[in-house]
Amino acid sequence: TERLRASNACRAESDSVESLIACMERRGWTFVRRFGPFPSDVCWSVRQAADPRRMPEPMCFERGAPPPR
C-alpha cells in the first residue's frame, strides 16, 4: 500500500514520466531494473516512450533507499 500511495501522490504532481520517476525516488522507490523479470519489459517500454499520457504503473517501482523522515 505504501507504493500505491506514493505512486498516486507522484502522479498528481507529475507531468512527465521522468518527473514521476524522480518523485518516486525521493520517496524511496527505484524504477525496476531494465533487464529483470516481469514487469521490467512493460515498464521500460512505457519509460522509453516518454508519453505523459502513459505513466508507469506502481508495479514498476521497488523499494530502494529508505524514505526520508
Side-chain angles (χ1 to χ4, degrees), residues 30-64:
T30 59
F31 202 75
V32 295
R33 290 168 295 180
R34 186 170 197 144
F35 298 109
F38 177 82
S40 80
D41 56 341
V42 174
C43 296
W44 276 89
S45 68
V46 171
R47 184 174 183 174
Q48 289 175 320
D51 182 351
R53 294 168 294 172
R54 285 187 60 214
M55 295 291 210
E57 296 297 322
M59 70 180 180
C60 294
F61 297 91
E62 52 196 11
R63 178 58 80 190

Side-chain angles (χ1 to χ4, degrees), residues 1-14 19-31 61-69:
T1 59
E2 288 178 49
R3 179 173 51 186
L4 183 57
R5 283 188 204 131
S7 178
N8 288 340
C10 288
R11 282 173 183 273
E13 64 184 65
S14 300
S19 65
L20 172 69
I21 293 170
C23 178
M24 289 294 284
E25 287 174 348
R26 286 191 303 273
R27 293 171 186 265
W29 298 92
T30 59
F31 202 75
F61 297 91
E62 52 196 11
R63 178 58 80 190
R69 298 208 179 254

